[in-house]
Amino acid sequence: MSFTLWHHPYSAYGQKASTAAYELGLPFTLKIVDHADAALMAEFARLSPFAKMPVLVDPDGRVFLESSIVVEWMDRRAGGGRLIPAEPDAALETRFVDRVLDFYVGGAMNRIVFNRLGRAGTPDPVAMRQDEELLATAWDMLEDRLSDGREWGAGATFTLADCGAAPLMTYARRLVPFGDRPRLRAWHQRLMARPSFQRALEDAAPYGDLMPAPPAED
């Protein structure tokens, strides 16, 4: 049986979850979070008290929140050990890189976007500059992490860390370019070529370009 995945196809964290599902070959039913649909949003609010995406509802009706937990559920559903390595140290590295991406790339990116769109009130240039510096620090940390020759975010195989990196890096680099970080740029190119992420981008394509920043040129 398939599970239900609530998210919006343009959401970076939603794309993280759908990339994982496509990577694992798991069938799922997509419920698009549409703010214009009051009845649907009432159901979404019941499932997600913090109004965050994605939300996974398993065949037994159990609800799982937070993108990394959602991906871990999928990995177990697929037999385990693919997106969360079975080897303990490799699993720790995967979760560490995933946390860096979620908190210091995704978190900073979302705050900058909310400021630019005025969703946080009058845009605060000081706060945006601080978040831009935070993003640059994350780029530096990831560039250094890649210096051991790893092909993917946490090692030799595609993992949870890459599911999150693909969309988060794609959008965040439009706010703070990669600059002189060749390993980071090469990793991102590999992510862009991954069929599972390409499918997530295809899902988002009908919604146009909702990012309040021009495409990256670096």
Side-chain angles (χ1 to χ4, degrees):
M1 295 176 63
S2 68
F3 56 90
T4 300
L5 189 63
W6 290 72
H7 76 86
H8 190 282
Y10 202 87
S11 160
Y13 289 104
Q15 288 179 18
K16 174 180 174 178
S18 59
T19 296
Y22 292 137
E23 185 71 26
L24 295 167
L26 295 176
F28 65 94
T29 299
L30 173 62
K31 278 285 192 78
I32 297 178
V33 177
D34 180 359
H35 291 273
D37 187 329
L40 182 139
M41 290 306 295
E43 184 180 359
F44 177 65
R46 179 179 61 81
L47 296 171
S48 181
F50 299 109
K52 299 294 185 181
M53 300 177 281
V55 175
L56 186 150
V57 182
D58 79 1
D60 296 321
R62 296 182 301 170
V63 178
F64 296 87
L65 308 176
E66 296 297 325
S67 60
S68 298
I69 303 300
V70 165
V71 173
E72 186 153 358
W73 182 95
M74 293 183 196
D75 190 58
R76 292 185 182 184
R77 179 80 169 180
R82 290 179 59 184
L83 297 181
I84 311 290
E87 198 280 318
D89 286 344
L92 282 177
E93 180 66 9
T94 295
R95 290 188 173 99
F96 172 75
V97 175
D98 176 68
R99 294 296 79 206
V100 169
L101 288 157
D102 271 10
F103 288 125
Y104 305 113
V105 175
M109 176 185 73
N110 284 337
R111 289 190 296 271
I112 294 170
V113 168
F114 285 0
N115 257 297
R116 289 193 180 189
L117 294 175
R119 292 178 181 171
T122 303
D124 184 342
V126 174
M128 284 191 284
R129 185 166 61 252
Q130 290 173 337
D131 278 320
E132 289 167 358
E133 292 170 356
L134 192 63
L135 258 176
T137 299
W139 292 159
D140 287 339
M141 174 179 283
L142 292 168
E143 175 77 6
D144 181 67
R145 214 75 181 180
L146 293 162
S147 65
D148 62 3
R150 64 184 65 180
E151 181 178 5
W152 298 105
T157 62
F158 188 97
T159 67
L160 161 69
D162 301 288
C163 292
L168 291 170
M169 290 170 62
T170 295
Y171 297 124
R173 69 181 296 214
R174 295 172 65 166
L175 302 172
V176 176
F178 290 152
D180 186 22
R181 300 179 180 93
R183 291 185 288 268
L184 191 66
R185 185 177 293 106
W187 175 30
H188 184 251
Q189 288 172 349
R190 291 190 289 274
L191 292 168
M192 291 295 294
R194 194 75 175 186
S196 55
F197 182 50
Q198 290 180 346
R199 288 189 66 182
L201 290 176
E202 289 170 4
D203 291 343
Y207 297 92
D209 188 346
L210 304 179
M211 185 73 175
E217 297 181 354
D218 69 326

